[in-house]
Amino acid sequence: MLYVKRKNLFEVFFEKRHSLIIQFNNGDLTKKEFLQENFNFITSLNIKPFIKIDSFEKGMFNYQYYNSLAKYYLMLANEIKNTNKHRKYFVEYKNTGLSLYHQKDLTTISILRLVDFENVDAYYVKTNSKFLNGKLYEIVLSDYNEAIFHSKALWLVDILREKNVFSEKKKESVIDSYINKLY
C-alpha cells in the first residue's frame, strides 16, 4: 500500500505564500493581483485566526490573515471612494480594514514576544508616499525567512524603542519594490 503524506496547514500556507511572493517579484502578478490572490488564498482555507499564538507559524498565519483582509477591505473602500457612490460602504469597508490592521499589529507584538525581540531590526522606511513618509516602519526578523512586518502603530513603535530594536535612521525597505508600488 502506498502512503502519501498529507501536508499540514502550515506547509500549505508557507508554500503558497512563498509562491505568491516569487510571482510578484518576477512581475507575474501586479500588486493588486498579489493582494487579491492573498485574500483568495486565506479565505479559501476557511480557517479563522488562532486565538493563542504559541508558535511562529501560528503568528505568521494570523499576521497574513489580518493583513490580507485589511488590505482587501481598504482596496474596496478606495475603489468606492473614487466613484463617489455608496458612501456608507466606503465607511464600513474602511473601518473594517483599519480594525483588521489593529489585529495585525496585535499579532506582530505577539510574534515579537514569542521570539523575545531577538535578532529583530526595526526602522522607518523610505516611501514614495507623502502620507506614509515618516509613519510606516518595518520590522525584520532575521532568523526567519520572509518575516517582514509593517506598521504605523505608534504604541508598537514605542515598544520597539523600549526593547532597543528600533533604529531612528530611515532605511530602504527590504521589499521596497512592493511597498512603493501603487495598486
Side-chain angles (χ1 to χ4, degrees), residues 84-155:
N84 289 324
K85 294 181 183 177
H86 309 291
R87 181 78 182 152
K88 79 172 190 174
Y89 291 115
F90 165 74
V91 172
E92 181 182 328
Y93 291 157
K94 184 174 181 181
N95 288 341
T96 299
L98 294 175
S99 176
L100 288 162
Y101 269 143
H102 180 68
Q103 291 300 315
K104 175 200 68 145
D105 291 334
L106 293 173
T107 297
T108 301
I109 194 64
S110 294
I111 294 169
L112 292 169
R113 288 181 178 138
L114 193 67
V115 300
D116 201 27
F117 292 87
E118 297 217 2
N119 297 317
V120 172
D121 191 20
Y123 44 85
Y124 285 109
V125 291
K126 297 176 183 176
T127 67
N128 296 337
S129 165
K130 289 179 184 175
F131 174 74
L132 293 175
N133 195 28
K135 295 178 185 172
L136 183 69
Y137 54 92
E138 184 166 81
I139 306 165
V140 179
L141 278 62
S142 57
D143 291 344
Y144 298 90
N145 191 28
E146 297 170 345
I148 304 158
F149 311 112
H150 292 96
S151 184
K152 297 183 303 179
L154 297 175
W155 64 267

Side-chain angles (χ1 to χ4, degrees), residues 77-88:
N78 284 332
E79 287 174 2
I80 290 171
K81 179 182 172 186
N82 294 336
T83 64
N84 289 324
K85 294 181 183 177
H86 309 291
R87 181 78 182 152
K88 79 172 190 174

Side-chain angles (χ1 to χ4, degrees), residues 8-90:
N8 71 32
L9 167 68
F10 297 121
E11 289 171 323
V12 170
F13 168 72
F14 282 106
E15 283 177 14
K16 181 66 173 183
R17 182 175 183 269
H18 181 69
S19 171
L20 290 172
I21 290 169
I22 288 173
Q23 289 176 64
F24 174 77
N25 287 339
N26 288 341
D28 298 331
L29 294 174
T30 65
K31 186 170 182 177
K32 186 174 183 175
E33 292 168 334
F34 175 77
L35 296 174
Q36 183 70 55
E37 287 297 319
N38 270 301
F39 174 82
N40 292 344
F41 171 61
I42 286 293
T43 55
S44 75
L45 293 173
N46 203 25
I47 298 172
K48 297 293 181 205
F50 295 96
I51 294 170
K52 182 178 181 182
I53 299 174
D54 55 6
S55 72
F56 174 76
E57 292 80 7
K58 286 180 180 179
M60 286 298 290
F61 178 84
N62 280 19
Y63 181 91
Q64 191 73 24
Y65 177 92
Y66 291 124
N67 194 45
S68 296
L69 270 65
K71 285 184 178 349
Y72 179 77
Y73 280 103
L74 289 176
M75 189 168 52
L76 289 178
N78 284 332
E79 287 174 2
I80 290 171
K81 179 182 172 186
N82 294 336
T83 64
N84 289 324
K85 294 181 183 177
H86 309 291
R87 181 78 182 152
K88 79 172 190 174
Y89 291 115
F90 165 74

